[in-house]
Amino acid sequence: MFEELPSQPALGLLRPETYLSISSQSVIYVRIDSIVCADLTSMTECDTARTYYFEADTALPAEGLDTVFNALQTVLASQQTLHWWGEDSDGEVVGYRYRWSTDTAWTYTTEESREFVVPIRTAFDLFTFAVAAVDNDSLTDETPATIVLPVQNSPPEIGFRFRSNPIVPDPSAEYTTFPTRTFVWDITDSDGLETVDSVFYALDDTSAGAWLALSAAAHSSVTLTNLTPGLHTFYVKTQDIAGAESPIIQFPDSLDEAGPNTWRVLPVVGNIVIVDDFHQDNGNVALAWYRSIFDTIPGIGPGNYSVWEIGRELPFSETDITATLGYFEHAYWYTGYTGIETYNAASNAINRFVLNGGNLFINVTEIKDTSFFWFPLSSTSAINPTGRLLPGKVLNSALSPSLNLEISALIAVRIRSFESLAAGIDPVDGPTFEVLYRLEPPQDGDLWTGEPVVAGEYDHRAPLTPEAGKVIFFSVPFHSGGIPLLEGNGSGGKFISWAFRNRFLQ
């Protein structure tokens, strides 16, 4: 029941009049329960009368209905826009008081429309809205404009956020992760997001007791950790305050033609990971070559390291990148000879890995930036602007002539030399930079000058970061995806082996 409006008429003054309309955009269903109100003006209780069924947009019967929802012919969603206006024959309207049947007091406003979300908590309910104009004499319309809304609760919907799950060219190819995986979603509800209160997720099992609950307002993602190796399926749904649930969505989904059909969690093997950032390596020829190197490194050997094949793109969540690197103490990261490479987008995660004590050997074909936190560069320059580096050129080791490398096949991409910001810093006070390889001086036709630096080691350990690790940065590709490129003076892998044995595994 609504209390009387706070307005007393003054002698000789006329009260304003109020009008009300609704903007309805959708028909939910066509059942209409009419109501009969003893006194709609004072909002006394209304008794349910008869039930009528109509086709959508059919005129309501004129007989037998005292009040039929102010001529509404549809059951509405709980989110609605109402419009009102007033007229005053002896002055002007300066504002309005409005109230829902669920409110305890009237609200004053100067607006003439507003979008409301009716707080529906059952599958179907009736709500009454009243609005009364207020004039410049502080008089309020004694007969507020009213509307009775029959409201049907709409279930919420949930979907995985765009590109948060991988898009693959071949859905039959198996998608793999290590034991951490983050799922991100978006929720919609025509009744308003404030009516959605819970998210439920499950792994592999959708029986009643398997679902775990989250607050919908506080969570748009969940990170699963300590996943057991093997095949898994993730399920998620949401629920509103009226108990209506969304359809369940899942990953992987065999009906999703753009996504993988299977998801396998890989075990963490050893404390070393080879990061394959070479998407266009058809048949994993380069990966097989790198495996042959690590299989022969003393102290490592076959079956004692892991492989992370990134594919076309990094995991959507940086949490997963950080967690994956965090399973290991040492990483060898190589990028593509051509095409997509993702290491630059992983800079924050790589920096955390190194500052937490991880050691990284990274072989990149294209230096995309000079602002790497994990290997700060002062400058880079193209060694071969024509994009050709001929066989026979020697990379001179600053460590030992026995580690010299020779280009054994044409390198048909631009290679860049670099300088580090740490060069010349007192090793007592800060991180250190050590040159590891320089390209030999130019010969006839070569366009570089001097002996460009193509490999170096940056040691992050300093008074402020005593637990940090080391980074070896190598800008000449070891492998093209078809053949190894630095085999002119023994295997190019001899330096990779030396670096892990002497700089990382000591």
Side-chain angles (χ1 to χ4, degrees), residues 319-342:
T319 298
D320 295 357
I321 307 170
T322 299
T324 297
L325 289 175
Y327 288 120
F328 305 97
E329 297 176 17
H330 317 285
Y332 182 85
W333 190 310
Y334 69 95
T335 69
Y337 182 76
T338 59
I340 301 168
E341 51 192 15
T342 68

Side-chain angles (χ1 to χ4, degrees), residues 257-282:
E257 297 180 354
N261 291 336
T262 56
W263 165 38
R264 181 179 297 276
V265 172
L266 301 176
V268 175
V269 178
N271 62 1
I272 296 171
V273 60
I274 299 175
V275 183
D276 177 1
D277 194 8
F278 195 169
H279 173 64
Q280 294 183 334
D281 179 18
N282 294 327

Side-chain angles (χ1 to χ4, degrees), residues 294-376:
F294 280 85
D295 286 347
T296 58
I297 296 177
I300 302 178
N304 292 314
Y305 58 87
S306 296
V307 175
W308 178 19
E309 295 187 66
I310 291 177
R312 295 180 61 87
E313 57 188 2
L314 289 163
F316 181 81
S317 171
E318 191 170 292
T319 298
D320 295 357
I321 307 170
T322 299
T324 297
L325 289 175
Y327 288 120
F328 305 97
E329 297 176 17
H330 317 285
Y332 182 85
W333 190 310
Y334 69 95
T335 69
Y337 182 76
T338 59
I340 301 168
E341 51 192 15
T342 68
Y343 77 95
N344 196 31
S347 286
N348 289 334
I350 291 175
N351 193 51
R352 294 189 194 99
F353 170 71
V354 174
L355 291 181
N356 288 332
N359 295 312
L360 172 70
F361 189 136
I362 184 165
N363 179 216
V364 304
T365 303
E366 177 67 20
I367 300 178
K368 293 183 175 296
D369 204 343
T370 59
S371 61
F372 306 132
F373 301 118
W374 42 270
F375 200 96

Side-chain angles (χ1 to χ4, degrees), residues 81-272:
T81 300
L82 299 179
H83 303 264
W84 54 84
W85 66 98
E87 296 177 356
D88 186 30
S89 57
D90 63 350
E92 60 180 345
V93 173
V94 295
Y96 303 88
R97 291 187 175 94
Y98 69 82
R99 184 176 176 185
W100 286 94
S101 53
T102 54
D103 294 339
T104 58
W106 293 85
T107 298
Y108 181 81
T109 184
T110 58
E111 298 175 344
E112 292 193 328
S113 68
R114 181 169 293 184
E115 185 178 85
F116 294 95
V117 177
V118 181
I120 186 168
R121 296 182 179 274
T122 59
F124 175 82
D125 208 343
L126 299 176
F127 296 88
T128 304
F129 179 81
V131 59
V134 180
D135 67 14
N136 57 320
D137 296 313
S138 299
L139 298 181
T140 302
D141 188 356
E142 287 185 315
T143 57
T146 58
I147 191 168
V148 181
L149 304 181
V151 177
Q152 166 82 8
N153 180 53
S154 299
E157 296 183 359
I158 189 170
F160 291 114
R161 185 162 300 171
F162 180 64
R163 300 193 72 87
S164 63
N165 290 328
I167 297 174
V168 296
D170 179 11
S172 65
E174 192 170 75
Y175 169 68
T176 60
T177 69
F178 286 93
T180 295
R181 176 63 159 90
T182 299
F183 292 92
V184 186
W185 55 78
D186 292 307
I187 297 171
T188 58
D189 193 325
S190 60
D191 298 323
L193 288 178
E194 52 268 49
T195 68
V196 183
D197 62 356
S198 299
V199 173
F200 298 91
Y201 70 92
L203 186 67
D204 302 327
D205 179 10
T206 58
S207 60
W211 293 95
L212 299 175
L214 297 171
S215 164
H219 295 87
S220 59
S221 66
V222 65
T223 298
L224 306 182
T225 59
N226 300 317
L227 293 166
T228 58
L231 296 177
H232 291 287
T233 302
F234 175 81
Y235 302 91
V236 65
K237 62 182 179 179
T238 188
Q239 184 183 75
D240 67 16
I241 57 179
E245 291 187 350
S246 69
I248 297 171
I249 59 173
Q250 67 180 69
F251 175 84
D253 184 352
S254 60
L255 300 180
D256 181 5
E257 297 180 354
N261 291 336
T262 56
W263 165 38
R264 181 179 297 276
V265 172
L266 301 176
V268 175
V269 178
N271 62 1
I272 296 171

Side-chain angles (χ1 to χ4, degrees), residues 19 42 61 79 122 224 283 292 325 340 495:
Y19 305 90
S42 61
Q79 185 169 335
T122 59
L224 306 182
S292 71
L325 289 175
I340 301 168
F495 175 66

